[in-house]
Amino acid sequence: MSPSTETPRGTPLTVLAVDDERPALDELAYLLGRNDHIGHVHTAQDATTALRLLRAHTIEAVFLDINMPGLDGLELAGVLSEFAQRPAIVFVTAHDDRAVAAFDLGAVDYLLKPIREERLAESVRRVVEARATVPTPAAAQSPEQDEVIPVDLGGVTTMVARSSIGWVEAEGDYARLHTSGGAHLVRIPLSTLAERWSDAGFLRVHRSYLVAMGLVTGIRSVGSGVAVSLRANGESPAVELPVSRRHTRDLKDRLVRAPRQRGTP
């Protein structure tokens, strides 16, 4: 067995690997079987077999290919979201353009093929940690639950917590997330994030900017316009951003009405 992570070992996990291509499935099952945190690996080449195994066994995590005939991986994950005891889901795919949809379904991780054993070990570590902190059904439905955004860092897809984001900048059909640890470009339009995060303490102040209201320290006149000031968010420097005329009243109203606290995602 390979030493996989520094996460303390608990009860070995029973997992399910799903891939319609037999060589890929065999490799995934082999690598999972080498991990110290994995006790048993079930395998399936289609969604029907996967669902049968999930109903017959207690399975803590599913390592799931996305592009499969019939019910694909995203659709199968949607079915699993209705389970009373939902297994953790890790998507394993050769395509990097489905990450947003995958994390919208609550995936713990998103692995790109070809699979590297050390990267798979990181996914297993995340599964172990997720299983140790499974929320109650009420908490799982809470709008205050922190959302995570998949970002690509050097070819590795990782997750950025919304609570770490101070402001977002539009770049065409992309958005740049400015966080306590740096900036990350994601393939999500700013308009989508503005709508999705409107109840989580974020406000669009300009066609190019979305800000976390909890970091706003004030607004001031700049020439014929207005600018909003944000305090430093962790390692990120304080920043001043322009406010468009059409968003100025919304910003002022929010500053007056809302308690000045960070919107917890």
Side-chain angles (χ1 to χ4, degrees):
M1 298 289 241
S2 63
S4 53
T5 75
E6 296 181 358
T7 303
R9 182 175 180 179
T11 304
L13 300 172
T14 297
V15 303
L16 171 64
V18 186
D19 197 311
D20 63 306
E21 297 181 358
R22 173 54 66 178
L25 180 60
D26 290 344
E27 179 186 20
L28 177 57
Y30 169 74
L31 293 176
L32 286 169
R34 283 173 50 83
N35 190 286
D36 290 340
H37 294 288
I38 305 297
H40 186 79
V41 182
H42 295 279
T43 61
Q45 285 189 261
D46 56 67
T48 300
T49 304
L51 287 170
R52 177 175 55 79
L53 290 168
L54 284 158
R55 292 186 175 109
H57 305 278
T58 300
I59 292 173
E60 285 88 11
V62 180
F63 291 77
L64 181 59
D65 186 26
I66 289 182
N67 293 328
M68 299 188 299
L71 202 67
D72 68 20
L74 293 175
E75 292 167 333
L76 177 56
V79 174
L80 298 185
S81 69
E82 302 299 323
F83 277 37
Q85 297 295 325
R86 180 186 176 184
I89 297 173
V90 174
F91 285 101
V92 184
T93 178
H95 305 280
D96 64 356
D97 60 348
R98 312 293 292 278
V100 172
F103 283 103
D104 279 346
L105 287 168
V108 171
D109 207 353
Y110 188 93
L111 282 175
L112 292 178
K113 298 177 182 179
I115 302 170
R116 294 183 292 111
E117 188 167 11
E118 61 271 22
R119 182 64 181 88
L120 180 62
E122 168 66 13
S123 291
V124 174
R125 182 189 66 79
R126 293 179 180 181
V127 168
V128 172
E129 291 183 348
R131 300 308 295 171
T133 57
V134 176
T136 62
Q141 296 173 8
S142 171
E144 297 184 354
Q145 185 178 3
D146 202 0
E147 183 179 329
V148 291
I149 305 298
V151 300
D152 182 77
L153 297 173
V156 175
T157 300
T158 189
M159 294 179 288
V160 170
R162 181 175 57 191
S163 57
S164 71
I165 299 170
W167 54 287
V168 185
E169 181 178 8
E171 294 194 15
D173 291 332
Y174 289 71
R176 188 171 297 277
L177 312 176
H178 293 266
T179 75
S180 57
H184 311 284
L185 192 66
V186 294
R187 195 184 304 176
I188 309 175
L190 186 70
S191 58
T192 298
L193 293 179
E195 181 178 355
R196 184 190 302 178
W197 294 355
S198 62
D199 294 329
F202 284 80
L203 179 70
R204 191 165 188 172
V205 298
H206 189 277
R207 66 181 180 183
S208 297
Y209 300 110
L210 178 70
V211 303
M213 289 299 296
L215 296 182
V216 172
T217 57
I219 59 176
R220 71 184 186 92
S221 297
V222 179
S224 60
V226 172
V228 60
S229 300
L230 280 74
R231 69 174 180 270
N233 181 24
E235 300 171 18
S236 64
V239 66
E240 189 173 82
L241 301 172
V243 180
S244 66
R245 190 168 299 176
R246 64 183 293 236
H247 292 294
T248 299
R249 180 171 294 278
D250 285 344
L251 176 59
K252 290 180 178 179
D253 287 346
R254 285 285 290 271
L255 288 174
V256 170
R257 287 187 289 105
R260 197 164 292 180
Q261 62 182 21
R262 178 158 182 99
T264 49

